[in-house]
Amino acid sequence: MRACFVSFNGLGHPGAHTPPQAMLALEPIFEEYGIQCEMLDAPLLCREAQRDSAEGLVDHIASSACVYDLVAVTTRCETYPIALAFAARLKALNPSAVVVFGGPQASATARATIARFHAVDMVIRGEGESPLRALLETISSGQDLQTVPSLTFRTPDGKVHETSPAPQLECWSARPFPAYQRYANRYRAHRLKFSEIELGRGCPFACNFCFTAEMWRRQYRLRPFEQVASEMRYLRDVFGQHRFHLIHDNFIMLPASKMQALIDAFSELPRDVAWGVSSRIDTIALGELRALANVGLREIFVGIETGNDTKKAEIGKHWTLQACERVIDACSEANIAVTTSFIVGFPGENLDELTQTVAFAAACSGRSDLVETQLHAFALEAGTPLHEPHLANLSLSGRKGDHIRIPWDLDAKQFDIIGQNADIFSTFMQLYNPTLEDAPYAVQDVLGPALNYFRHTLRSLFAAGLSHKAAIAMAVEVYDQGPAGRSRLTLAHELVCRLARSYGGPEAHRAMAFEQICAHLDDGEFSAAHEALDFQMHDIGPIAAPGVLMFSANFDITVRVARAHNNCTYLRQACMSGYRLVRLTALQRRALYQLARGVSLDDVVKSAGRLRVKDLHFEARVRRHLQDLGDAGLIDLRPVSGN
């Protein structure tokens, strides 16, 4: 028997794609049974084949997969229509192929998927290791599928049958070492890295909007820390990977003994290894943050979700907003970046409650330059307590939440399928709320990005009297006007320009000029960047132009911008110098902003050293880069008078 593993996850971000952990971890199980297994990673194939439509990609992958006897597909909500279209196309090419779905979305909709989409033969629900082994044994021996745990399948008479759940994985030695080496060269050719490592599974909490706890049956488990550290060291030594996201739904809820065991295991890692995790506000051990930072912790993602106390209790969160502020402050003091995630448009939410969430998100963003803020429109996930009560309030509007990360618009056929199966594709649909209408999507696509791209500008505007409700109203105007398909940076910039004209003073305009250039360079919009530089050179001072390039781009980008901007002496000199530049980080942006505002080099370096983000030598590197450009006469390191 020949088998292949297919994943469509990550199609919305192919440039930042990381190889899917589920495939890397489960593929070796096929080898245990002597089955040759190939991995078909759709984002990678999309890059290689340069497919520009969902239909073209589906045909391309199906033509590759149709030669296999068993095809396993890992699924998430955002790519579920494409996964089902692939299964249908595959069956048309090879009707005898056995198609097995797994992953969160298939698990949440297993019965409905098997009942309505006959191209899918079976679904493995929840954790995959034990059911997959049982399924391979059953197929090879010809036994009854009812012996396979956690399996949903169609019986010969067309009925849907579900077997009892499999025991959760407790012995992590049963989880084989991921198949990194087999696919290394292929991913390396596209400059893609193995940056995700599984730390553990399970969340014991009961947030009513999230399927995660149900997926892992609320059993909190951690892999042995020595095993995780060994995997990180392997990827560093063999593939040169230094930064990792450790996958766990809720990290840092450890007793003191386990926390010390983690610190001991990770202290043996090389000092250039950095890692990030996801957690909850009420499970972060504030007293351990410095120790964790010393062994590589650089980023924490926390789901705050709402700034309204009533809504917080309704969704199952039980911490205070003051606790959020304490966590952000403690992380900043320990040099740990924080991503704060919020959701707007919960069922029954009104404009005042949404405004409170936006206000608190802005306050979190303003507490530290190490904070990144995410604002997401609510999506009704299958398998959650909120799902069934609110199905009748869904409509297919074409609006995309952040969870819908696919690079193409849906075609008419896909719209029909989604509309006829709202219970399966609820995340593609908009929850009707007459008091909010498009406000959640405007906050997600316009105001949320502005809080990151133009944080200093908005901080000045709010201080000057701009209300959060007025900012939301303006974001809705920007969202509803103009052509579709505009980037979030374009929308954010338009919003900030409108707000600055109405509320901004000199400080807001100076901040906006600087942040506009950084944002364009970060987003790869080179022509917009050089136009912004040309327009704003006199407003932000000559120190900013080469400084922006020094901090925000590699040398190739510098050349492109400089050639497009022949009249800018500073850019021309930066290009001619051949100086190899480094990529922008939040702290480097802070250092540059301080320089542009007239802070002395020594004070900037001192601040950067205290807030280092990359490694132990950040302070020395900042000083060296700045001093080298200063010695070459490319930037003036003296304070700018009048600032």
Side-chain angles (χ1 to χ4, degrees):
M1 179 171 62
R2 299 180 64 202
C4 76
F5 220 133
V6 181
S7 173
F8 294 93
N9 302 337
L11 275 177
H13 299 284
H17 179 58
T18 184
Q21 266 288 313
M23 294 172 64
L24 292 169
L26 294 177
E27 190 259 6
I29 292 178
F30 288 91
E31 295 183 1
E32 293 177 12
Y33 291 85
I35 299 172
Q36 179 183 353
C37 184
E38 183 65 29
M39 191 165 76
L40 301 178
D41 186 9
L44 182 64
L45 294 171
C46 188
R47 291 166 66 108
E48 292 177 340
Q50 298 182 343
R51 301 296 176 180
D52 57 2
S53 69
E55 184 178 3
L57 180 64
V58 163
D59 287 344
H60 177 66
I61 299 179
S63 64
S64 299
C66 67
V67 299
Y68 295 95
D69 307 300
L70 175 66
V71 179
V73 184
T74 182
T75 67
R76 290 204 303 239
C77 62
E78 68 267 28
T79 53
Y80 211 52
I82 298 177
L84 289 168
F86 160 77
R89 180 62 178 149
L90 174 67
K91 282 289 192 177
L93 296 173
N94 182 4
S96 63
V98 177
V99 178
V100 184
F101 272 27
Q105 184 64 12
S107 297
T109 63
R111 290 193 69 92
T113 295
I114 294 297
R116 299 176 212 167
F117 295 92
H118 287 191
V120 182
D121 295 303
M122 57 193 77
V123 171
I124 290 179
R125 308 184 310 276
E127 207 160 67
E129 286 86 352
S130 177
L132 179 58
R133 285 189 170 93
L135 178 62
L136 294 178
E137 290 178 359
T138 299
I139 291 176
S140 61
S141 63
Q143 297 178 12
D144 193 330
L145 289 175
Q146 296 193 42
T147 62
V148 180
S150 296
L151 192 69
T152 302
F153 62 95
R154 196 178 304 101
T155 60
D157 59 0
K159 295 181 179 179
V160 178
H161 182 77
E162 287 190 338
T163 62
S164 57
Q168 297 286 75
L169 183 68
E170 295 293 344
C171 178
W172 287 96
S173 61
R175 178 188 182 276
F177 193 81
Y180 296 120
Q181 188 64 52
R182 182 174 176 185
Y183 300 99
N185 291 335
R186 193 171 181 188
Y187 282 100
R188 190 183 287 127
H190 292 274
R191 298 183 179 181
L192 300 176
K193 297 181 178 181
F194 302 105
S195 59
E196 293 184 346
I197 293 178
E198 189 173 32
L199 180 64
R201 297 172 187 170
C203 176
F205 298 97
C207 301
N208 63 8
F209 61 91
C210 179
F211 181 65
T212 294
E214 302 301 325
M215 174 73 179
W216 306 118
R217 309 213 300 264
R218 295 185 185 163
Q219 294 187 26
Y220 185 87
R221 292 157 294 156
L222 288 163
R223 291 176 62 195
F225 300 131
E226 295 80 3
Q227 192 180 95
V228 176
S230 175
E231 202 166 315
M232 294 165 72
R233 181 184 291 276
Y234 170 82
L235 291 175
R236 175 197 179 273
D237 294 345
V238 177
F239 302 113
Q241 178 67 25
H242 297 269
R243 299 184 70 85
F244 301 94
H245 177 67
L246 303 186
I247 303 172
H248 197 298
D249 304 305
N250 196 353
F251 177 61
I252 318 184
M253 48 177 303
L254 303 176
S257 60
K258 283 189 173 293
M259 183 67 76
Q260 189 57 51
L262 181 148
I263 292 171
D264 290 344
F266 283 25
S267 65
E268 300 298 321
L269 290 169
R271 300 294 287 176
D272 59 355
V273 170
W275 48 279
V277 292
S278 299
S279 189
R280 275 176 60 111
I281 288 293
D282 50 357
T283 66
I284 295 177
L286 299 184
E288 302 290 348
L289 287 175
R290 286 191 179 276
L292 290 168
N294 287 337
V295 295
L297 177 60
R298 294 291 179 267
E299 303 171 26
I300 297 179
F301 175 96
V302 289
I304 299 176
E305 318 309 357
T306 179
N308 177 266
D309 287 330
T310 301
K311 192 61 63 178
K312 178 163 58 68
E314 288 178 6
I315 65 176
K317 300 279 190 179
H318 303 290
W319 32 255
T320 65
L321 300 181
Q322 291 74 23
C324 300
E325 295 171 343
R326 288 195 294 271
V327 167
I328 290 171
D329 293 344
C331 287
S332 297
E333 291 173 4
N335 309 329
I336 298 170
V338 182
T339 298
T340 57
S341 177
F342 296 86
I343 297 174
V344 289
F346 278 109
E349 187 168 63
N350 58 43
L351 185 57
D352 288 337
E353 292 170 333
L354 184 149
T355 302
Q356 287 179 312
T357 296
V358 169
F360 190 66
C364 290
S365 177
R367 294 190 78 85
S368 169
D369 282 346
L370 289 177
V371 176
E372 179 181 343
T373 301
Q374 296 180 359
L375 285 153
H376 308 284
F378 172 78
L380 187 63
E381 290 189 5
T384 64
L386 289 179
H387 186 250
E388 189 171 344
H390 295 283
L391 275 176
N393 297 323
L394 294 177
S395 63
L396 189 56
S397 66
R399 304 298 195 197
K400 283 186 181 180
D402 275 345
H403 48 281
I404 306 302
R405 296 174 178 173
I406 51 178
W408 312 289
D409 291 330
L410 299 171
D411 60 28
K413 183 178 180 180
Q414 290 170 323
F415 259 100
D416 288 342
I417 293 174
I418 290 171
Q420 295 165 11
N421 299 277
D423 55 336
I424 295 178
F425 302 108
S426 56
T427 52
F428 282 81
M429 308 184 81
Q430 183 174 358
L431 183 67
Y432 177 69
N433 187 329
T435 65
L436 297 181
E437 296 184 333
D438 284 341
Y441 295 94
V443 168
Q444 169 191 272
D445 290 351
V446 185
L447 185 53
L451 285 172
N452 291 317
Y453 282 125
F454 299 99
R455 65 174 65 214
H456 294 284
T457 309
L458 285 174
R459 194 178 302 170
S460 298
L461 291 171
F462 288 133
L466 171 66
S467 71
H468 295 94
K469 188 167 287 188
I472 293 169
M474 187 70 78
V476 172
E477 285 186 22
V478 172
Y479 182 79
D480 287 339
Q481 295 173 0
R486 292 171 295 172
S487 72
R488 290 187 175 182
L489 171 56
T490 300
L491 294 171
H493 182 234
E494 184 176 341
L495 170 67
V496 172
C497 286
R498 292 190 187 188
L499 293 174
R501 283 195 292 268
S502 300
Y503 299 92
E507 180 63 27
H509 284 283
R510 287 178 59 84
M512 184 175 68
F514 162 75
E515 291 182 317
Q516 178 184 356
I517 298 166
C518 284
H520 284 310
L521 285 169
D522 257 1
D523 229 40
E525 297 185 358
F526 309 115
S527 60
H530 86 75
E531 288 174 7
L533 277 166
D534 189 33
F535 185 72
Q536 304 289 0
M537 273 295 293
H538 297 293
D539 293 334
I540 61 177
I543 192 173
V548 167
L549 290 174
M550 180 187 70
F551 279 111
S552 66
N554 60 35
F555 184 66
D556 292 337
I557 294 177
T558 310
V559 172
R560 289 188 62 178
V561 176
R563 285 178 177 170
H565 200 76
N566 291 326
N567 294 326
C568 178
T569 302
Y570 285 92
L571 290 180
R572 226 177 24 249
Q573 288 177 325
C575 174
M576 291 168 59
S577 72
Y579 198 91
R580 193 156 190 86
L581 308 175
V582 296
R583 186 69 182 154
L584 182 71
T585 69
L587 291 177
Q588 290 165 337
R589 181 185 286 115
R590 174 192 175 95
L592 175 59
Y593 184 76
Q594 290 174 321
L595 282 173
R597 302 301 300 125
V599 179
S600 70
L601 171 64
D602 284 343
D603 287 343
V604 169
V605 172
K606 181 179 178 181
S607 174
R610 187 169 63 251
L611 296 172
R612 69 166 171 78
V613 67
K614 280 205 168 184
D615 57 40
L616 298 176
H617 307 293
F618 180 77
E619 177 177 337
R621 190 170 66 255
V622 169
R623 180 182 291 276
R624 185 175 66 252
H625 286 324
L626 293 176
Q627 198 66 56
D628 285 352
L629 287 179
D631 292 344
L634 300 181
I635 60 174
D636 185 356
L637 297 176
R638 296 169 298 179
V640 180
S641 60
N643 288 337

